[in-house]
Amino acid sequence: MCGIVGYLGKRNAYPVLIKGLKRLEYRGYDSAGVALLTKDGDLRVYKTKGKVADLENFSSDKDTTGTVGIAHTRWATHGEPNSTNAHPHISFTGNLAIIHNGIIENYAVLKKQLQEKGIEFKSNTDTEVLVQLIEYVRTKKNVDLLTAVRIALRSVIGAYAIAILDKNDPDQIIAARKSSPLVVGIGEEEFFLGSDASPIIEYTDKVIYLDDKDIAVIRRGKDVEVVDFNNEKMEHEVTKVDLNLAQIEKGGFPHFMLKEIFEQPDCLKDCMRGRVNVEANNVTLSAIIDYRKHLINPRRIIIVACGTSWHAGLIGKQLIEDFCQIPVEVEYASEFRYSKPVINEQDVVIAISQSGETADTLAAIELAKSKGAFIYGICNAIGSSIPRATNTGSYIHVGPEIGVASTKAFTGQVTVLTMLALALGKERGTIDNVRYSKVLTELNAIPEKMEELLKQGDAIKDISRIFTYAHNFLYLGRGYNYPVALEGALKLKEISYIHAEGYPAAEMKHGPIALIDDEMPVVVVATRNVLYEKVVSNIQEIKARKARVIAIVSEGDETIRKMADSVIELPHTEECLEPLLASIPLQMLAYYIAVAKGKDVDQPRNLAKSVTVE
Ligand code: F6R
């Protein structure tokens, strides 16, 4: 979703801001803008619908000088994507410029009150309310900008990360956050702002992650000062950001998504490093050691997540029930947050999120906390809001995921859930030693098997060319591979815009079979496990209706090879680990189909990387 960049220092701000916006493009947006305080004391605002490149074109013949500025990519919520609604927005005096991520829930009430006081609005956005309110407070009460921001934010309900420039004070940026991330970068006589660290790391690795209700005053020649709404000083450590430039660049791949698909073997090694020890026959998750008493014997586990993370949760349910014999429910965070869940302090809630910023998942955590449940987070983005809101948890350590369609985060989440289930199962004595060792050894071997699988990339690319005509796809799987089918379908629809549905294979005959004809490709995950024969029957039923079958099978399966139109073989592994392998060809299939159709794989239409609104 929206991206924020800010700069104050000795360089020309504009190139830093534009580069920063490009680094944030992965978040998804539909317009972009920049505000600069120029040498001659002017506040210049340039904004346009479209991409950052469009903004560059638009600004190419304009004055872009100035050593302080703020810039934004907007993902439309209130008001259509156009240059009027794009940020920055300017106050009625023409003196303040603001950029904002998040949603102001009481914007309509505030807007009405301000309009009654004679203030005219130019845009349809909730953001403009903020800048008009702050300016109204400042002029009416004759206070400085920081005081006006503190007072104004007290009457604002909603989520925000904001940055404000004052035309009459070119040595200052004021920034604030609530439920929307904001990072301040500290360089040599210069400061940076970002909605995450990616626009900053090129210049400095020293950052301050702002907390909710923090207001940061960034002043030339001074240390960053952070206060709360009551002007109380908030102490903040300057931390070293654990991110490097190579991680957020494409490294020779045409798209981030392909890079991230191919990174998965290394990512899973990073995820397991220091945790899986095959020689010692042990898996260690520090959270389980530190919080044993909360985790060892819960009445029930509830997994809350959205999208791909929810699919990982479905696999987690099977792993935990299988190894730990604890009942597990998996809920969409968006539904859970508005339900009336019967939970208490005997329950453990596992929140899964790549970005760590998903608004629905955060709200589900808050609800579960209010009922006394113990919260365990499984996240990727270090220092994001969800790890800070949970009691404990485990990072998946797969590095920044830039492609909007989640790939390596999914396999990282499933890997952490496997380690969690193994560690808990062992502690509880619910998994026998032979099985424990077997799964652990196989888990450790997954990266190597993924390497093998990735070599089939060209074959999958060939298969994908046949299917670009399709308007609908069906994905089928059973047991551990049912969530894989759901995830495969989600990947395809997200980036190729082909309608795709995932189903448990046996459900086909209860409805979806009506859709099957020679124009409906069906992807079947049909590995050799206890349900194999039943899935083979499903393939026969599909072939009898003349659909093309793409089958994901175990190595050496000649039976299905004779029946299916295309076959992708997976190396053998334990059944519970098959999702880690089976998801790879489905990611590649979606990727190559989308590329063949000429779609924008890394930034699919209407989607955002981090969904910080409801
Ligand atoms: C799918 C995808 C989304 C996210 C969902 C949750 O490729 O990326 O479905 O999985 O928005 O996001 P996180 O995991 O960041 O909470």
Side-chain angles (χ1 to χ4, degrees):
M1 301 219 137
C2 312
I4 282 182
V5 191
Y7 179 79
L8 188 155
K10 50 202 177 185
R11 313 170 198 240
N12 230 355
Y14 180 75
V16 178
L17 296 172
I18 290 292
K19 204 170 202 183
L21 288 185
K22 287 185 177 165
R23 297 235 185 268
L24 292 173
E25 281 191 305
Y26 75 92
R27 296 166 73 93
Y29 69 104
D30 37 51
S31 57
V34 57
L36 298 159
L37 284 173
T38 61
K39 282 194 299 251
D40 48 13
D42 263 352
L43 175 60
R44 300 261 157 91
V45 175
Y46 308 126
K47 44 191 195 169
T48 180
K49 184 181 168 180
K51 297 286 179 188
V52 178
D54 297 312
L55 176 64
E56 277 183 289
N57 280 340
F58 179 77
S59 321
S60 60
D61 57 348
K62 309 210 164 41
D63 183 352
T64 54
T65 57
T67 55
V68 55
I70 53 178
H72 191 262
T73 45
R74 173 177 185 254
W75 187 84
T77 56
H78 298 68
E80 64 177 273
N82 59 30
S83 57
T84 310
N85 289 331
H87 303 201
H89 291 284
I90 303 296
S91 64
F92 60 90
T93 58
N95 288 333
L96 299 184
I98 196 170
I99 53 176
H100 162 229
N101 288 0
I103 286 192
I104 306 307
E105 286 170 19
N106 61 339
Y107 88 100
V109 177
L110 295 171
K111 185 170 181 174
K112 189 155 175 279
Q113 288 168 355
L114 290 162
Q115 281 170 327
E116 281 164 7
K117 299 194 170 25
I119 293 170
E120 280 178 26
F121 282 74
K122 295 199 167 61
S123 75
N124 309 111
T125 64
D126 52 339
T127 302
E128 194 183 349
V129 171
L130 283 176
V131 74
Q132 304 298 16
L133 179 64
I134 292 166
E135 189 67 304
Y136 177 76
V137 171
R138 183 163 84 144
T139 48
K140 184 86 183 161
K141 294 191 184 287
N142 196 19
V143 289
D144 62 21
L145 180 57
L146 172 62
T147 310
V149 170
R150 288 196 297 106
I151 295 171
L153 289 183
R154 281 192 209 134
S155 48
V156 169
I157 301 170
Y160 49 80
I162 54 173
I164 309 165
L165 282 187
D166 180 356
K167 181 177 171 176
N168 299 314
D169 191 352
D171 294 325
Q172 174 179 273
I173 300 177
I174 288 192
R177 75 155 268 179
K178 184 172 164 270
S179 306
S180 199
L182 203 52
V183 188
V184 183
I186 301 165
E188 291 292 323
E189 297 170 45
E190 57 185 352
F191 300 96
F192 305 84
L193 256 187
S195 28
D196 63 40
S198 57
I200 298 174
I201 52 167
E202 189 167 342
Y203 310 101
T204 178
D205 60 1
K206 294 195 200 80
V207 296
I208 294 174
Y209 290 100
L210 296 182
D211 282 327
D212 269 357
K213 301 195 181 169
D214 277 349
I215 304 173
V217 182
I218 300 165
R219 272 207 87 77
R220 207 182 286 279
K222 290 205 167 169
D223 287 344
V224 175
E225 198 188 338
V226 184
V227 295
D228 68 6
F229 290 1
N230 298 320
N231 213 19
E232 294 291 330
K233 197 166 181 303
M234 306 305 288
E235 291 305 335
H236 271 281
E237 264 181 49
V238 176
T239 47
K240 194 167 181 294
V241 68
D242 185 18
L243 191 69
N244 62 54
L245 219 48
Q247 287 176 302
I248 57 164
E249 289 184 341
K250 285 187 199 147
F253 285 89
H255 296 100
F256 282 110
M257 184 178 173
L258 192 63
K259 175 184 173 229
E260 287 159 6
I261 290 173
F262 274 86
E263 270 173 1
Q264 288 177 100
D266 286 338
C267 291
L268 294 203
K269 283 184 203 157
D270 290 342
C271 178
M272 290 189 270
R273 184 160 299 123
R275 292 165 163 175
V276 167
N277 185 337
V278 175
E279 285 76 43
N281 191 32
N282 201 22
V283 52
T284 317
L285 285 179
S286 54
I288 297 188
I289 299 169
D290 299 344
Y291 292 89
R292 191 178 184 283
K293 81 170 179 358
H294 295 277
L295 296 168
I296 191 70
N297 205 14
R299 182 178 68 141
R300 178 178 59 150
I301 290 177
I302 302 162
I303 298 178
V304 292
C306 305
T308 289
S309 301
W310 185 80
H311 295 155
L314 293 178
I315 297 168
K317 170 186 163 74
Q318 297 189 48
L319 289 161
I320 295 168
E321 290 187 340
D322 192 356
F323 300 171
C324 312
Q325 289 162 34
I326 301 169
V328 182
E329 288 165 25
V330 188
E331 304 272 358
Y332 283 116
S334 53
E335 287 298 309
F336 181 85
R337 66 183 289 187
Y338 290 112
S339 63
K340 296 185 183 68
V342 185
I343 52 174
N344 60 31
E345 51 291 337
Q346 292 168 287
D347 295 315
V348 167
V349 168
I350 300 180
I352 309 176
S353 172
Q354 186 286 128
S355 63
E357 300 294 347
T358 302
D360 286 324
T361 311
L362 267 167
I365 291 170
E366 293 311 326
L367 175 62
K369 258 188 183 169
S370 72
K371 305 265 180 190
F374 185 80
I375 321 286
Y376 190 109
I378 297 181
C379 285
N380 190 33
I382 313 247
S384 54
S385 302
I386 290 178
R388 288 195 272 167
T390 48
N391 297 103
T392 186
S394 306
Y395 281 112
I396 62 173
H397 290 308
V398 300
E401 191 179 64
I402 311 284
V404 163
S406 194
T407 51
K408 61 178 182 172
F410 175 72
T411 47
Q413 290 162 347
V414 174
T415 302
V416 165
L417 286 160
T418 311
M419 293 190 286
L420 177 65
L422 281 172
L424 265 187
K426 191 175 185 190
E427 284 287 308
R428 286 168 57 83
T430 45
I431 180 167
D432 72 67
N433 208 18
V434 175
R435 178 131 196 257
Y436 179 88
S437 307
K438 216 166 169 195
V439 176
L440 191 63
T441 310
E442 275 300 318
L443 180 63
N444 197 47
I446 288 289
E448 214 177 300
K449 294 186 180 181
M450 271 185 178
E451 299 274 12
E452 280 308 304
L453 195 48
L454 287 164
K455 290 185 187 149
Q456 297 187 51
D458 285 343
I460 296 171
K461 191 173 180 179
D462 288 343
I463 295 172
S464 70
R465 286 202 190 99
I466 310 168
F467 294 101
T468 47
Y469 71 87
H471 295 294
N472 298 286
F473 258 78
L474 201 58
Y475 282 71
L476 303 176
R478 291 198 74 166
Y480 276 104
N481 286 324
Y482 158 52
V484 174
L486 295 182
E487 176 58 10
L490 180 63
K491 288 290 87 88
L492 186 72
K493 66 185 126 187
E494 278 182 305
I495 58 171
S496 72
Y497 317 143
I498 295 174
H499 172 246
E501 292 295 334
Y503 269 96
E507 273 296 300
M508 188 181 72
K509 58 187 172 296
H510 297 292
I513 197 164
L515 296 169
I516 295 178
D517 62 15
D518 58 353
E519 286 185 11
M520 167 79 106
V522 184
V523 179
V524 189
V525 187
T527 46
R528 274 205 187 273
N529 55 38
V530 282
L531 296 167
Y532 173 77
E533 298 300 341
K534 296 181 194 303
V535 179
V536 169
S537 304
N538 292 140
I539 294 176
Q540 267 155 350
E541 288 154 16
I542 299 163
K543 284 312 299 173
R545 283 153 186 88
K546 302 203 167 17
R548 281 176 169 271
V549 169
I550 305 160
I552 314 296
V553 301
S554 304
E555 223 161 30
D557 186 327
E558 290 308 320
T559 313
I560 295 184
R561 186 170 286 282
K562 287 188 197 119
M563 296 159 61
D565 299 85
S566 310
V567 163
I568 301 161
E569 292 194 354
L570 300 184
H572 291 281
T573 188
E574 285 287 297
E575 183 178 344
C576 62
L577 302 176
E578 278 174 355
L580 290 170
L581 297 179
S583 52
I584 306 281
L586 300 193
Q587 294 168 352
M588 287 206 269
L589 188 68
Y591 171 80
Y592 285 120
I593 291 177
V595 170
K597 287 176 75 86
K599 302 300 178 202
D600 187 350
V601 200
D602 282 336
Q603 290 162 42
R605 69 182 181 205
N606 305 337
L607 292 181
K609 186 65 188 160
S610 132
V611 184
T612 50
V613 297
E614 277 200 70

